[in-house]
Amino acid sequence: MERIAFHLEIEDGQREAYRTEHEDVPDALKEAYLESDAGIETYSVFEKDGHVFGYLELENPEVIREVMDESEAQADWNEVMDGILEESDDQWMDEVYRMR
């Protein structure tokens, strides 16, 4: 099982819109993630003060990155998030410590 994480920032004044949209994430997006061969075990999104942290435990990170980059469901979700999230070219984070 691998662990990956990402960080995004919410546009000023859009925090409530971000939270509201996440109350009803489209089934098509959930299905695109869960029906991929990524083997998602855990996917959580956290938010504080306009900072978004996403965390996944999964078998194949490259597959989920492909889904995020290429699926129609993700493209539709990106349209919803347009104007809510700041543009980001490099959202993926490096794991620098893991307690075992």
Side-chain angles (χ1 to χ4, degrees), residues 7-56:
H7 173 261
L8 300 167
E9 292 185 65
I10 299 171
E11 294 276 355
D12 288 339
Q14 295 298 317
R15 189 173 181 210
E16 286 306 311
Y18 180 85
R19 287 178 167 254
T20 298
E21 292 296 342
H22 279 80
E23 290 175 7
D24 191 23
V25 173
D27 289 338
L29 184 60
K30 290 187 262 187
E31 289 169 8
Y33 281 42
L34 294 173
E35 293 176 4
S36 73
D37 291 328
I40 295 174
E41 189 71 28
T42 300
Y43 183 8
S44 296
V45 176
F46 303 85
E47 185 276 332
K48 182 171 182 164
D49 297 330
H51 291 272
V52 175
F53 171 75
Y55 172 78
L56 295 91

